[in-house]
Amino acid sequence: MKVLSADFVTSAAAGGRTDGIPADGLGHIALAGRSNVGKSTLLNALVRRKLARTSAAPGKTRLANIFRLTVEGGPGGPGRWGLYLVDLPGYGYARGGPDSVQELAAVAAAYFASRDAGLGSGPESRIPDPDRERGNRATLLLVDSRHPGLDSDVRAHRWLSSVGAAPSIVATKVDKLSRSERVRNLRELERVFGSAPLPVSATGGEGLDELWRLIAQVARGNRL
């Protein structure tokens, strides 16, 4: 598999215009998670280049940033295919206090609202078939494998499910766990969220192939 291109498309902000959010039939994979869970680092590891800006200060991302990828081959067989990766603003910490926390939640809400409304722009824009759209969109909820069952993660999972974006759980930073911690924490995450998490390490590369398989299954029309 080769990522041929990875380009920034647009950003969505709370209360801002959403008619620029792509609705051209390509799959959308949204990444949600706490501010220090490593979303941007994982996104960069997936595309093998510096695409999303990482920061030592949590709560830095204040927009839903959308990137378009063109991929050759990979899970599902040969051929060229495209998708959008959506880096949602982190929760659990926000610079600026409670008002900023509400703002970040509103940014995510704006993105999911635009999805449901079928908004888009450009000559290929259309009002999507809701059944088809549900099939080629997915949300990944990234949780820190070192801290299973945090209240903020549980609340995020509940909220995402309430807006029709029932997320798949991705457990980050598994390279920082001992063998016994890994077994215990992954089992706890499965208990809390009701499904087995996918363990990944952005630095070591573990789980990235399996994550690409999940992404391709959505973006390529469940052809795996």
Side-chain angles (χ1 to χ4, degrees):
M1 186 191 78
K2 183 177 182 181
V3 178
L4 301 178
S5 64
D7 302 299
F8 172 76
V9 176
T10 190
S11 295
R17 292 175 59 87
T18 57
D19 57 354
I21 295 178
D24 54 11
L26 293 184
H28 280 230
I29 310 295
L31 283 73
R34 297 178 72 246
S35 298
N36 57 352
V37 78
K39 283 193 295 90
S40 297
T41 301
L42 180 60
L43 195 155
N44 290 340
L46 281 170
V47 301
R48 304 185 186 99
R49 66 193 73 185
K50 190 172 183 179
L51 182 63
R53 178 180 297 179
T54 60
S55 172
K60 190 79 169 179
T61 301
R62 304 293 290 273
L63 303 168
N65 294 314
I66 302 174
F67 305 90
R68 176 169 176 161
L69 274 61
T70 302
V71 181
E72 181 72 43
R80 186 171 295 188
W81 50 287
L83 72 149
Y84 294 101
L85 289 180
V86 183
D87 185 12
L88 296 174
Y91 58 83
Y93 175 90
R95 303 174 73 184
D99 289 343
S100 292
V101 173
Q102 294 180 1
E103 178 187 348
L104 299 186
V107 171
Y111 167 73
F112 287 111
S114 72
R115 173 204 63 181
D116 293 336
L119 298 177
S121 63
E124 296 180 347
S125 182
R126 58 180 176 80
I127 299 298
D129 178 344
D131 291 331
R132 184 176 187 278
E133 290 301 308
R134 281 194 290 269
N136 72 345
R137 293 176 184 265
T139 301
L140 307 177
L141 177 57
L142 278 55
V143 298
D144 191 327
S145 62
R146 300 171 298 176
H147 308 294
L150 291 175
D151 287 344
S152 56
D153 289 332
V154 173
R155 289 196 301 269
H157 184 271
R158 188 180 301 124
W159 181 81
L160 289 166
S161 298
S162 74
V163 297
S168 298
I169 305 299
V170 177
T172 65
K173 305 180 182 181
V174 293
D175 55 297
K176 299 182 183 296
L177 296 176
S178 68
R179 182 174 299 181
S180 60
E181 288 173 334
R182 177 185 175 118
V183 172
R184 182 174 63 250
N185 289 10
L186 293 180
R187 184 177 297 144
E188 176 64 8
L189 285 170
E190 183 172 3
R191 185 194 69 80
V192 169
F193 295 107
S195 61
L198 173 60
V200 300
S201 167
T203 55
E206 179 183 352
L208 295 187
D209 288 344
E210 289 80 4
L211 186 52
W212 265 118
R213 177 170 291 276
L214 173 61
I215 291 170
Q217 188 169 1
V218 174
R220 303 189 80 175
N222 298 309
R223 290 185 295 173
L224 302 190

